Amino acid sequence: MTLQKISSVQLIFVFILMLHHSVSAQNIDSLHHLVFEKYGATMNFSIEYSANDFYLVKAKNKSADDRSYEQIQVLKDSLEITGDRAFMLRIGQLYSRLNETTLGKEWFLKALTEYSKAYVSDPNSQKMLKEMVSLHTEMGQTTKAIEKTNRILELSPKDLDYILLNTVFHFMIAKYDDGVQIIDKAAIFYPEDPGLVLMKTMGEVFKLMGALTQESEADKAKVIWANHIHDDNYLNEMKSKFPDNETLQIGISCSELFILFYGKILPIMFELPDDMINYNFNLSDDEQKKLASLEKSFKSFLKNKSNENTYALHYSLGMIKMLQSDFKKAIPNFKKAIDQKPVQFRSSMDKVISGYDNIIASYLFLDDKKSAEKALQTKIDEHAGGDPSAVDHLQLAYVKIENHDLKSATMLLETALGLDSNNVDIYTTLGDIYLLEKKYPDAENLFNLAYDLSPDDKGLYLSLIGLYIANGEIENAVYMANSYLEFDPENEFVLGVKRCYVSSEKPTNKIEK
């Protein structure tokens, strides 16, 4: 179960290639157009763990034969004979495992209709409530899942599995304090339960992470970090208190790595280095020793063949190698982690987005753009986030544009637009392609749509400068350049525009809104 999707740290390699133009400021009427490219590979990397990697009892995977259309037909036949709504849920799950997302959703909706009717007449059936929790989980309806879980706990207040599940649901919607309160109340019944200890520890770590990644200003993020109590003594105390509980030992170790990771990336979250190729995280002696100790522990846990928690272990080893700037060795660890959650058995809460992103980032750290492109395509093909992702298609389009494959980029962007019609970057990127193809009216239409969504978007400013120059609207271009330089005064492309042209009249079209 993936907790709140962690907002990734974005490190963007932007390549702006200004084509030579044949006119000077004294002869602007002879300018035909100025085409620019501003796209390249986008690096996102993060550390992200899932709650069911640590404590919650995992549902046993069905055999490979269950993941088949023949098995779906068997379930449909059983549904027709018995009328049992549970078969609807299972059919939806199988369609989802087969990447038939639309059919899966249709069957989930059918099941929800039948469960909702039954719930009205029998709100105390715990079997039905638990099936409804699974259904809401599959449909991504976390708030609804919480409602049914609360009802289960009203009927059975000591049900530890659902206490923990309720905690996870609250973490998923970033209600970390509420999740910790649930644990504190449960401690009355289970004062020494290691699962509750682990969940509380992870809750505090996720709360810190959420505060950091949602902050948009560097100074404020640094204050948040400075005010955080890095209490290694507490973590060590929990480790020593439950020495034989391997699950808790793994979870605490992951928490330690989590904190170390954010401590190292905080300096580059807002101030990007000029060169990220073979980047060095500059570990202190103590940090190197800490990572070496954690690496030894994770490898030791892997030797226990009865341990089902291998995703978190391989993933953690990959994170350690990233922090050690050993990106070549990080990649196979992330791949091994993803292999532990094969596509056919992933639930909607069992995503591996971070693993894919870290593989792509590692290739980019190594300046291997070709492999990064292949990894991004694999991420899309395997539906790493469950449903198809507009952002993934957009990022791959960036790479295609950089490689001058405008046809493939256009197809990706059109797909992305169908997935998310409110993403301003999709409109501006597709508009930029139209600029390159000299389809200026089409480009202008897309830029106006982007303006409606986000009139202050910086990328849109750059696109409009190119459009105005292409249309011979030099006064508008320079006015937009002046506006852009207010928040990015050293941008070489925009400064080049100003060096060529001298007018600064206000624009005359929609952008003046």
Side-chain angles (χ1 to χ4, degrees):
M1 295 176 183
T2 302
L3 300 180
Q4 179 80 1
K5 177 174 185 304
I6 299 173
S7 302
S8 300
V9 178
Q10 293 197 341
L11 305 176
I12 304 179
F13 295 153
V14 180
F15 302 90
I16 301 179
L17 307 178
M18 294 172 53
L19 301 187
H20 175 72
H21 41 82
S22 59
V23 297
S24 66
Q26 289 74 32
N27 191 22
I28 61 173
D29 288 338
S30 64
L31 176 68
H32 294 145
H33 66 273
L34 175 66
V35 179
F36 64 92
E37 297 179 22
K38 59 182 179 183
Y39 299 102
T42 301
M43 181 189 293
N44 306 303
F45 66 94
S46 65
I47 185 167
E48 178 176 326
Y49 293 106
S50 303
N52 66 345
D53 290 329
F54 301 114
Y55 189 76
L56 296 179
V57 177
K58 295 183 177 181
K60 295 296 181 182
N61 287 339
K62 300 292 183 181
S63 67
D65 290 338
D66 277 340
R67 189 180 60 90
S68 67
Y69 293 100
E70 290 78 11
Q71 179 65 15
I72 288 176
Q73 188 57 53
V74 169
L75 294 175
K76 288 181 177 178
D77 292 342
S78 299
L79 173 63
E80 186 174 352
I81 294 170
T82 67
D84 188 345
R85 55 186 170 268
F87 286 116
M88 295 181 178
L89 171 59
R90 182 60 183 148
I91 291 168
Q93 289 172 329
L94 278 179
Y95 272 127
S96 296
R97 303 301 181 272
L98 289 163
N99 289 327
E100 297 277 7
T101 307
T102 301
L103 286 172
K105 288 181 178 179
E106 288 178 3
W107 279 93
F108 289 145
L109 287 171
K110 290 179 182 179
L112 182 61
T113 299
E114 295 305 314
Y115 275 109
S116 298
K117 292 177 182 176
Y119 180 67
V120 172
S121 59
D122 187 8
N124 296 326
S125 169
Q126 292 197 49
K127 179 179 180 296
M128 181 173 64
L129 285 166
K130 291 177 180 180
E131 290 172 356
M132 292 187 77
V133 169
S134 297
L135 178 57
H136 289 309
T137 300
E138 291 283 359
M139 299 178 72
Q141 299 174 336
T142 308
T143 302
K144 293 287 186 182
I146 289 174
E147 291 176 4
K148 300 302 184 296
T149 305
N150 285 338
R151 180 59 184 155
I152 291 170
L153 293 174
E154 287 176 6
L155 299 168
S156 300
K158 296 182 181 181
D159 190 325
L160 183 58
D161 284 339
Y162 280 84
I163 290 171
L164 290 166
L165 187 57
N166 204 19
T167 303
V168 172
F169 286 147
H170 281 83
F171 288 170
M172 287 176 64
I173 58 176
K175 292 189 176 181
Y176 304 111
D177 289 334
D178 291 346
V180 171
Q181 286 179 14
I182 292 170
I183 293 172
D184 288 339
K185 290 179 181 178
I188 297 173
F189 305 122
Y190 306 101
E192 296 293 320
D193 184 80
L196 294 176
V197 172
L198 176 58
M199 279 296 148
K200 185 169 183 177
T201 302
M202 298 300 289
E204 295 297 339
V205 172
F206 288 132
K207 182 179 179 180
L208 169 65
M209 173 278 303
L212 285 173
T213 55
Q214 291 174 21
E215 183 51 63
S216 59
E217 297 181 23
D219 290 340
K220 291 182 179 179
K222 291 174 182 177
V223 169
I224 291 172
W225 183 257
N227 290 338
H228 171 68
I229 300 175
H230 306 283
D231 194 351
D232 289 337
N233 291 331
Y234 169 73
L235 296 177
N236 290 332
E237 180 184 342
M238 292 301 101
K239 277 188 171 183
S240 61
K241 191 172 183 179
F242 302 98
D244 299 325
N245 189 302
E246 191 166 282
T247 301
L248 185 137
Q249 297 290 320
I250 293 172
I252 296 296
S253 295
C254 290
S255 296
E256 292 175 306
L257 180 58
F258 204 113
I259 293 171
L260 179 61
F261 173 83
Y262 273 98
K264 296 310 297 180
I265 67 168
L266 187 61
I268 60 174
M269 284 177 68
F270 302 94
E271 301 171 13
L272 305 183
D274 293 332
D275 184 8
M276 293 300 298
I277 307 301
N278 294 315
Y279 181 77
N280 191 320
F281 284 94
N282 295 318
L283 299 169
S284 67
D285 289 343
D286 286 343
E287 288 168 340
Q288 291 177 15
K289 290 178 182 178
K290 184 65 176 179
L291 287 179
S293 175
L294 288 171
E295 182 177 7
K296 183 178 179 180
S297 295
F298 290 131
K299 286 182 176 179
S300 176
F301 292 136
L302 275 174
K303 291 179 181 178
N304 182 355
K305 301 302 181 182
S306 65
N307 190 347
E308 296 182 359
N309 191 16
T310 54
Y311 175 87
L313 297 175
H314 289 296
Y315 178 89
S316 297
L317 289 171
M319 291 308 310
I320 289 172
K321 291 304 173 186
M322 280 194 83
L323 288 173
Q324 292 172 335
S325 301
D326 193 348
F327 305 110
K328 285 185 179 180
K329 290 185 179 179
I331 292 168
N333 279 294
F334 289 125
K335 288 183 176 180
K336 287 179 182 177
I338 291 172
D339 288 344
Q340 308 312 309
K341 294 185 178 182
V343 177
Q344 62 266 37
F345 295 125
R346 288 179 203 155
S347 73
S348 62
M349 296 174 65
D350 200 20
K351 301 179 181 66
V352 289
I353 294 174
S354 178
Y356 285 96
D357 284 342
N358 292 343
I359 290 172
I360 295 165
S362 294
Y363 281 127
L364 292 176
F365 277 124
L366 295 168
D367 199 24
D368 185 353
K369 296 177 186 176
K370 187 174 182 179
S371 294
E373 181 179 352
K374 289 181 179 178
L376 181 51
Q377 184 66 63
T378 300
K379 181 186 177 187
I380 292 173
D381 293 341
E382 294 190 358
H383 300 287
D387 292 333
S389 166
V391 172
D392 288 342
H393 286 77
L394 177 63
Q395 289 177 347
L396 186 55
Y398 290 165
V399 178
K400 298 296 185 183
I401 294 172
E402 184 186 6
N403 295 335
H404 302 282
D405 185 357
L406 300 185
K407 182 178 179 180
S408 295
T410 299
M411 293 174 63
L412 286 162
L413 291 167
E414 289 173 348
T415 300
L417 198 58
L419 296 170
D420 182 2
S421 60
N422 293 313
N423 187 319
V424 64
D425 293 331
I426 300 173
Y427 290 101
T428 56
T429 305
L430 189 54
D432 285 343
I433 290 178
Y434 287 154
L435 278 183
L436 293 169
E437 296 175 338
K438 301 181 184 180
K439 298 176 181 178
Y440 304 134
D442 293 334
E444 184 172 7
N445 179 54
L446 287 170
F447 294 151
N448 280 329
L449 291 172
Y451 179 86
D452 288 337
L453 291 171
S454 181
D456 297 322
D457 183 78
K458 296 178 183 178
L460 176 59
Y461 277 48
L462 293 175
S463 297
L464 287 168
I465 292 170
L467 175 66
Y468 289 145
I469 291 175
N471 284 336
E473 301 174 43
I474 306 306
E475 294 172 346
N476 287 347
V478 175
Y479 174 80
M480 192 60 62
N482 286 332
S483 299
Y484 185 92
L485 290 171
E486 290 179 5
F487 52 77
D488 187 2
E490 298 181 2
N491 185 284
E492 292 183 7
F493 166 69
V494 181
L495 289 172
V497 171
K498 284 206 68 178
R499 284 193 292 269
C500 291
Y501 310 111
V502 295
S503 177
S504 59
E505 297 292 327
K506 270 198 168 186
T508 56
N509 70 359
K510 183 174 180 178
I511 295 304
E512 190 181 6
K513 257 187 178 179

